[in-house]
Amino acid sequence: MATRIEFYVLATAGEAACLATACRLVDKARSQGLSVWIRTASAAQSATIDRELWTWRRGSFIAHRIHAPGRRPWPVLIGTGAPPESHRALLLNLADDVPDGFEACSRLIEIVDAREDILAASRARYKVYRDRGFAPSAVRL
């Protein structure tokens, strides 16, 4: 199985746009019954997406939590490392580097906004994926 890699390119800039897009993607994945690993760059970023998932849409609930080894997995896990075996359907990468273990996932989504530093980092990741034999695609939002 080859990992399907997609770059969701936003027309707007800013972390708020990225977080809102991440929440919509997680909600859609959960409606399809997929487990989701949200990879973040830091504990602070994990806490931010955790808060966003609780508050992003009135009346909605997405079962999620920050990953801790030994705890029972929930449908959506947030963490800084490689996805656990239970969460390899969708890897949503919010960090600015190539995630360890992405090859074991069915699908990887990178969210890219219009900030120059974010665009530059995403181009570097795109090249890494391509150089490793993957065929990433871009989805303009």
Side-chain angles (χ1 to χ4, degrees):
M1 158 192 77
T3 303
R4 184 171 132 200
I5 302 173
E6 297 166 299
F7 283 75
Y8 280 53
V9 183
L10 308 180
T12 57
E15 184 181 22
C18 290
L19 292 171
T21 301
C23 289
R24 282 193 301 276
L25 290 170
V26 170
D27 191 40
K28 183 175 180 181
R30 287 303 305 140
S31 73
Q32 296 171 356
L34 299 175
S35 63
V36 180
W37 176 253
I38 302 173
R39 180 179 178 261
T40 61
S42 65
Q45 189 180 36
S46 292
T48 299
I49 189 66
D50 178 49
R51 266 191 317 277
E52 285 295 313
L53 285 168
W54 283 113
T55 61
W56 81 282
R57 191 175 70 186
R58 277 187 104 106
S60 74
F61 173 73
I62 299 172
H64 72 280
R65 76 164 139 212
I66 294 175
H67 178 61
R71 291 178 72 189
R72 183 176 65 88
W74 281 33
V76 177
L77 290 176
I78 304 164
T80 57
E85 194 170 323
S86 61
H87 284 69
R88 294 187 178 160
L90 173 61
L91 166 56
L92 183 58
N93 188 31
L94 300 181
D96 61 359
D97 60 346
V98 173
D100 290 336
F102 80 87
E103 302 93 338
C105 297
S106 299
R107 188 174 178 197
L108 164 62
I109 295 178
E110 300 267 0
I111 300 174
V112 181
D113 73 56
R115 292 175 285 181
E116 275 306 314
D117 59 328
I118 302 297
L119 288 168
S122 71
R123 287 183 195 110
R125 290 192 308 278
Y126 188 97
K127 184 178 182 330
V128 168
Y129 297 135
R130 195 185 63 222
D131 290 349
R132 291 189 186 176
F134 294 89
S137 63
V139 177
R140 303 226 179 260
L141 300 178

